[in-house]
Amino acid sequence: MSQPAPALAPPAAPSASAVRFDGLWLFSPRVDVSLLLMPALLTFFSAWLAGTTGEGVDGYSRALGRWASQYVLFNGTHVILTFLLVGIRRELLHTTPTQARLLVGGSAGVFAVCFALLWYASQHAPQLNLMVAAGIHLLAAHHTLSQVKGLWALHGLKARVAGVPSLSEAERRLQRVFVPLALVLMMVRTLAVPMTSRAGDFPLVNVGQAEGGMLPYGSTWVLLAVWGVFVGLLVAALRGQAGPSGPRRLYVLGHAAVVAVYLAWPAWGVILSAGIHGLEYFFLTGRMLEPTAREEESRLRGGAVWMAMVGVMLPLIVVGVAQSPFVLLVDASTGGSATNFLLKQEPLWTLGVTVTNAIVLAHYFADAFLYRFRIQKVREVTLGRLGLA
């Protein structure tokens, strides 16, 4: 009599601590990875080219990288998309009783004041122009870091919707510390040290400081050590979760690395962080412009969304083309005709740059009120557009 066949053991359940990726990407696996990878490749190429040619951070390679991050990866052009978004999806203007006045009237006022200040400073007050540049640099860094914190929170919401553990209390505490800590360290690295060692020099925008010299008393290492402690605590908080979101880990630790690059090599860190910021905002706006289930008859969907965004950005792209470092190459091969042509268009191009910078500052103001997730109605409308309500 044959022995009965042994019963098959049930398949082992996946480990509760296994990192999960399926269904947790903010956009898609390809897009989420590319948002970090493409700016990283641009930064690596620029730094490699600068090292190969021996020109360092003051040459053509860095200028090319910064220009590409601004106009190819959208950091300098995405700013107009805020106003396209509130113009098309009008419910964003009515999330609070004062939202429309803030986003329309307030942004228009900020644009007018900033345009007048920028124009006056550039034409008549060089020292004031340096102070304005430092102020814009500070606001840009805060805006970029705040977006990272916001998308970090969206990753947490995505995990919660999918039934995966969201942010632990330890991670939430570190999330609250992220923006102020990173901002202070980055601004010390790029603003709080004089451009030269001469007595009496004022702290100015110091991005692009000679890579051959360290900050006084090795302070770069101090900044990196402080950030390293924060990252160590963050890794411990992420590892302590059961079944965490892989895309959130990738996003958070990727941006922790971006801050470290900025502290170590600010000239290249600016290119990296700016490129990521522009791409993130472009895809985030595209998602919010897509019609929801209640807007099935909306004509703005799919390819029309991307065409609308590029169309609105086109005037800023034209200004960027006029400021392109490629003009130098064309100029060298044509005996100066390209540069001469552009010079004849002045003050048109200077006006275009001033208008662009004023839009940038108005965009900072508008975003500060557009994404106030602590207000329930703002959260409901905005997350509804993102599919995370």
Side-chain angles (χ1 to χ4, degrees):
M1 192 174 184
S2 60
Q3 296 292 328
L8 295 176
S15 171
S17 61
V19 178
R20 175 179 161 183
F21 287 86
D22 291 343
L24 294 175
W25 298 98
L26 205 55
F27 300 104
S28 70
R30 179 181 299 178
V31 172
D32 283 30
V33 172
S34 296
L35 293 178
L36 295 171
L37 183 61
M38 291 180 62
L41 292 176
L42 170 65
T43 305
F44 175 80
F45 174 77
S46 302
W48 170 82
L49 186 60
T52 301
T53 59
E55 63 188 14
V57 297
D58 296 322
Y60 181 84
S61 300
R62 177 174 167 241
L64 179 62
R66 293 196 69 174
W67 181 88
S69 70
Q70 296 296 317
Y71 296 101
V72 178
L73 302 184
F74 307 119
N75 185 60
T77 57
H78 78 270
V79 295
I80 196 69
L81 297 181
T82 297
F83 307 106
L84 172 68
L85 177 61
V86 298
I88 297 295
R89 304 306 180 195
R90 304 298 293 275
E91 72 272 22
L92 294 169
L93 288 173
H94 305 291
T95 50
T96 70
T98 60
Q99 189 79 320
R101 291 197 296 273
L102 285 169
L103 294 182
V104 179
S107 297
V110 170
F111 173 83
V113 171
C114 290
F115 175 81
L117 178 62
L118 290 166
W119 181 262
Y120 175 80
S122 65
Q123 299 298 313
H124 305 290
Q127 291 298 321
L128 176 61
N129 201 37
L130 290 171
M131 292 178 62
V132 171
I136 293 175
H137 180 66
L138 171 63
L139 291 172
H142 181 270
H143 177 75
T144 300
L145 293 169
S146 296
Q147 178 170 293
V148 173
K149 181 183 177 182
L151 268 68
W152 185 350
L154 291 182
H155 272 286
L157 288 172
K158 187 80 171 182
R160 189 169 68 183
V161 169
V164 174
S166 188
L167 278 64
S168 65
E169 185 55 36
E171 187 179 350
R172 290 183 187 280
R173 287 196 299 269
L174 294 170
Q175 187 188 56
R176 289 193 290 269
V177 173
F178 172 78
V179 173
L181 177 62
L183 183 64
V184 168
L185 296 177
M186 291 164 64
M187 292 304 99
V188 168
R189 183 66 175 96
T190 57
L191 290 181
V193 179
M195 288 291 287
T196 72
S197 59
R198 294 194 303 270
D201 279 350
F202 295 98
L204 302 175
V205 178
N206 196 26
V207 174
Q209 181 183 13
E211 298 293 329
M214 298 300 295
L215 297 182
Y217 310 110
S219 54
T220 297
W221 292 110
V222 175
L223 300 177
L224 285 169
V226 173
W227 187 246
V229 171
F230 174 84
V231 174
L233 294 172
L234 184 58
V235 170
L238 292 171
R239 286 176 59 87
Q241 299 176 13
S245 164
R248 188 168 85 250
R249 276 190 175 185
L250 174 66
Y251 183 82
V252 173
L253 296 179
H255 276 282
V258 170
V259 174
V261 171
Y262 190 105
L263 295 176
W265 304 284
W268 308 116
V270 167
I271 295 173
L272 178 59
S273 61
I276 296 174
H277 175 75
L279 284 176
E280 284 181 349
Y281 201 98
F282 183 81
F283 280 93
L284 187 68
T285 305
R287 173 67 60 83
M288 293 185 69
L289 282 170
E290 287 285 354
T292 63
R294 294 177 299 175
E295 300 167 340
E296 295 180 353
E297 297 182 359
S298 174
R299 296 181 180 180
L300 193 66
R301 62 173 64 246
V305 168
W306 309 109
M307 290 177 61
M309 291 196 295
V310 173
V312 169
M313 293 190 300
L314 192 57
L316 303 185
I317 294 173
V318 171
V319 173
V321 170
Q323 309 298 320
S324 168
F326 290 111
V327 171
L328 297 176
L329 296 180
V330 175
D331 179 56
S333 63
T334 59
S337 59
T339 298
N340 289 335
F341 171 78
L342 289 175
L343 287 175
K344 290 178 181 178
Q345 312 310 311
E346 289 293 352
L348 182 60
W349 298 126
T350 299
L351 177 64
V353 171
T354 305
V355 169
T356 300
N357 288 333
I359 294 175
V360 168
L361 292 166
H363 148 78
Y364 293 162
F365 177 88
D367 272 7
F369 294 97
L370 181 60
Y371 297 105
R372 293 179 291 173
F373 286 158
R374 66 183 182 276
I375 299 176
Q376 181 178 354
K377 185 63 175 179
V378 172
R379 188 166 60 247
E380 289 176 356
V381 173
T382 305
L383 296 182
R385 299 220 64 86
L386 292 169
L388 295 172

